[in-house]
Amino acid sequence: MSTYKAINLIARPEPGPITPKYFEVVEKDIPKAEPGQLLIKQTHMSLDPAMFGWMSPATDSYIPPVELGSVMRSSGIGEVVESNHPDFAAGDRVMGMLGWQEYALSEGQGINKVQAPLPDETVLSIFALPGLTATQGLFNIGKPKAGETLIVTGAAGSVGSLVGQLAKADGLTVIGVAGSDEKCDWIVNELGFDAAINYKSGNLSEQLDALTPNGIDLFFENTGGPIQNLIFERMNNHGRIVVCGMIADYSKAEPSPGPNWIPLIKKRITVQGFAMPDHFHQVPELLAKLTPYVMEGKIKHRSHILEGLESAIDGLNLFFTGENKGKLIVQL
Ligand SMILES: NC(=O)c1ccc[n+]([C@@H]2O[C@H](COP(=O)([O-])OP(=O)(O)OC[C@H]3O[C@@H](n4cnc5c(N)ncnc54)[C@H](OP(=O)(O)O)[C@@H]3O)[C@@H](O)[C@H]2O)c1
């Protein structure tokens, strides 16, 4: 019988980089699909910052942590190689929470067929979590209006790059915040953002003043970090702050203090956090909103491909160093 590899989470990460000591790589026999089951050979696995939360012991989050000793949680795309399930056939291309493993046995829950004739990288970069998150956060929470000014942090990332392009397509002035000159250049010159700020450069206050002469109406927050306070100070009356992510704090023992709340009252600002699992029942309508922008050629993306299952472990650190250029995907 032939075998496949899987990676189990065996310890809760401490603050700092992710290392192999938190995982065990195991070799298992490839199983047979029993009645009601399908066997999927995974081809592309998505890496997401949400994994830091899933690995933590916190039980008060929107989803339970991954149990120690079990396969690390992740979404991915693969091909059905054997099916004893009435809804799936061998050869179907499918997507779902397949985990850090080369093969996944499933009873079909949460597994969806991928019909779109698009490369796997494009599906994972746009039509999976990044695009759903950008669409939900921007349109349903941020409620953008043409002529407004939007600022998005993590602007060259999977979610942020989509948020900025969608807002630009709808007639907003879009400023992106990213962590390198290369990323700033990409979002302005390739994606069409109006301007970008490298948050690792100096004079952030002066740069923000120069780029937002009419203040900021919509702040799509993906990162946190010191620029958060500077953006907050420039919010307009009735501004909206969409809190999608706070990656600057994910590996810290103590999160940073946030801005003072008095301006929320004076300026009647709305701050709303959200987590996509609350909105998975809205996927058809989110895709219906997103797809026309893609079909009209208004959305570009880039994927950062790592090779082989074990590359996922060190790959997670790229989110913190910012070395990921686009959607992080592991090709199996
Ligand atoms: N609420 C939800 O349901 C939901 C769903 C999906 C994602 N998210 C969140 O959205 C955010 C973006 O996710 P993504 O998948 O699109 O990841 P991503 O932006 O493609 O990758 C993460 C990026 O964060 C930036 N970063 C890392 N440390 C930072 C720091 N200290 N300060 C500022 N920026 C830092 C890095 O870019 P630079 O080079 O620019 O620093 C890195 O490339 C994450 O916080 C994630 O948790 C939330």
Side-chain angles (χ1 to χ4, degrees), residues 49 133 157-159 179 183 199 222-223 244-245 248 250 274-276 319 324:
T133 306
S158 323
V159 174
K183 289 184 178 182
Y199 69 87
N222 280 315
T223 65
C244 177
Y250 292 169
F274 73 108
M276 279 314 289
F319 286 126
N324 68 310

Side-chain angles (χ1 to χ4, degrees), residues 29 32 135 137 160 182 211 214 223 255 269 282 284 302 326:
D29 290 337
K32 302 285 298 168
T135 306
E182 186 278 336
L211 294 176
N214 301 320
T223 65
I269 293 168
Q282 293 165 257
R302 58 183 185 184

Side-chain angles (χ1 to χ4, degrees), residues 131 134-135 138-139 161-172 289-290 293 298-299:
T135 306
L138 177 65
F139 294 113
S161 61
L162 298 177
V163 167
Q165 292 177 86
L166 292 168
K168 194 71 204 134
D170 273 10
L172 282 82
K289 176 79 183 170
L290 172 63
Y293 291 91
K298 292 178 175 161
I299 304 296

Side-chain angles (χ1 to χ4, degrees), residues 1-4 28-32:
M1 180 179 272
S2 36
T3 60
Y4 72 102
K28 299 179 183 177
D29 290 337
I30 297 177
K32 302 285 298 168

Side-chain angles (χ1 to χ4, degrees), residues 47-52 62 129-130 132-134 153-161 177-180 183 198-200 220-227 243-250 252 273-280 317-328:
L47 295 187
D48 294 280
M51 289 169 167
F52 300 111
Y62 59 92
L129 189 65
L132 298 171
T133 306
T153 52
S158 323
V159 174
S161 61
V177 178
S180 71
K183 289 184 178 182
N198 178 348
Y199 69 87
K200 292 177 183 166
F220 197 106
E221 175 63 295
N222 280 315
T223 65
I227 201 167
V243 187
C244 177
M246 289 286 292
I247 196 165
D249 283 344
Y250 292 169
K252 282 191 189 158
F274 73 108
M276 279 314 289
D278 283 351
H279 304 284
F280 284 158
N317 291 310
L318 302 181
F319 286 126
F320 291 128
T321 61
E323 285 166 276
N324 68 310
K325 290 189 180 166
K327 176 81 197 99
L328 257 189

